[in-house]
Amino acid sequence: MVDHKFILNKFGFLGSDFSSEMQKHAVVDTIKAKTEIIREGQKVRYIPFLIKGSIKVYTLNDGRELIYYYVRPDDSCLMTFASIFGDYTSKVYAVTEEDSEVLLIPVSVLHHWLIRFPEINKIFYYEYDKRFTDVMNMVNEAVFHKLDRRILSYVKQQISITGHNPIKLTHREIANNLGTSREVVSRVLKKMENEGEILQTKEGLKIPSNENVRIV
C-alpha cells in the first residue's frame, strides 16, 4: 500500500482520480544502502520517486565515477524519466547512498497517465530545472574549483544528505566520486587537516563547527 500522505503531498494537485490510480498501480520498495537500482544499458521498467533516503546518479568513465546529482526525498530521477521517450535504456547508474524507501511507477502506466493527467508534466518540468542546476554546479566545480575545494564541498554535501558529522567516507570513495586517485585525496585531506578545514577521526571525516555546513 502506498503512503497516502506521500501521494497527497506530491501528487495531490492532480485530484482524487489520480490518487486512486496511484494506489492501484504504484508500488513501494525498501532498498538497503549501497544497492544498485539501475545500471547503464539496462531497460527502464519503473520511474522512481524517493520517499526516504538518498540516491546517487552517476556515469562511469574508465572505472571512475562522474556524479550527475543526488535524488533527495520527494524527488525523482529525471534521466530515468527521459529514457522512456527514447529506447527505454538507462544512460546512468543509480545507487542508494543509505537505506531508502522508493515509490515505483510502471513505465507503461506512466505513459497512460501523461495523456489522462497532463498536469503531471509539471512535476517533471520542476525536476528538470533542479537537475539542470545540479549538473551545471557539477561542471562548475570540476572546471573552476581546485581539488581541495571540491573535496571540501563533497564532504559537506554528504554531511548534508545524511545528517552525520563526522561521516564515514573512505579516501578511495572520495577519489572515485571526484575522478581522481586515492593517493591524491589522502595528500589533499592531510593538507586540509593541517589547515584546520577538516578533521580525520576514528568516526570519520568531520567539518569543524566553525565551518559553514547545513545539516538536513
Side-chain angles (χ1 to χ4, degrees):
M1 179 65 69
V2 180
D3 188 327
H4 180 70
K5 183 178 180 181
F6 178 81
I7 293 179
L8 186 62
N9 289 340
K10 187 70 178 179
F11 305 100
F13 70 97
L14 293 167
S16 58
D17 287 347
F18 184 84
S19 179
S20 298
E21 286 284 307
M22 181 70 79
Q23 292 286 358
K24 186 187 303 181
H25 295 288
V27 296
V28 172
D29 194 11
T30 301
I31 306 174
K32 292 292 186 180
K34 307 303 179 184
T35 300
E36 186 177 83
I37 298 175
I38 197 166
R39 60 174 34 243
E40 186 177 346
Q42 185 176 345
K43 287 295 183 181
V44 175
R45 294 182 174 84
Y46 295 92
I47 302 301
F49 283 87
L50 189 62
I51 300 173
K52 298 177 183 177
S54 63
I55 298 173
K56 177 175 67 177
V57 179
Y58 64 98
T59 188
L60 287 176
N61 187 0
D62 292 332
R64 293 183 177 181
E65 295 181 6
L66 176 63
I67 299 173
Y68 286 142
Y69 52 81
Y70 288 88
V71 179
R72 306 288 188 90
D74 291 336
D75 291 345
S76 182
C77 178
L78 180 69
M79 297 186 76
T80 301
F81 173 72
S83 71
I84 73 174
F85 298 101
D87 57 5
Y88 296 85
T89 300
S90 176
K91 305 297 189 297
V92 296
Y93 294 83
V95 173
T96 52
E97 286 285 277
E98 54 188 323
D99 292 349
S100 301
E101 189 176 354
V102 183
L103 180 145
L104 301 171
I105 301 176
V107 167
S108 57
V109 174
L110 184 58
H111 272 298
H112 172 68
W113 286 352
L114 289 171
I115 298 172
R116 184 177 174 188
F117 305 99
E119 286 197 335
I120 197 175
N121 284 290
K122 291 180 179 179
I123 293 175
F124 295 106
Y125 293 148
Y126 173 70
E127 291 290 330
Y128 173 82
D129 181 64
K130 290 177 65 177
R131 298 307 161 216
F132 182 78
T133 299
D134 287 342
V135 171
M136 289 304 299
N137 288 339
M138 179 270 292
V139 171
N140 286 334
E141 286 275 345
V143 174
F144 298 112
H145 291 185
K146 293 182 178 179
L147 186 57
D148 58 347
R149 298 302 94 192
R150 293 173 61 201
I151 290 176
L152 185 61
S153 177
Y154 176 76
V155 173
K156 287 182 177 181
Q157 181 186 55
Q158 296 306 304
I159 290 173
S160 177
I161 289 172
T162 65
H164 299 151
N165 186 24
I167 184 171
K168 286 286 187 182
L169 290 171
T170 68
H171 293 190
R172 184 171 299 280
E173 182 180 357
I174 295 173
N176 288 341
N177 285 327
L178 297 183
T180 185
S181 69
R182 180 188 60 78
E183 292 79 9
V184 170
V185 168
S186 298
R187 186 166 62 250
V188 172
L189 281 173
K190 185 62 178 177
K191 174 178 177 291
M192 293 170 66
E193 185 176 32
N194 291 337
E195 294 173 350
E197 293 185 294
I198 202 165
L199 300 175
Q200 299 189 78
T201 72
K202 293 181 179 179
E203 292 75 28
L205 297 176
K206 183 177 181 179
I207 300 298
S209 57
N210 61 324
E211 285 282 340
N212 182 27
V213 57
R214 180 171 60 92
I215 307 297
V216 295

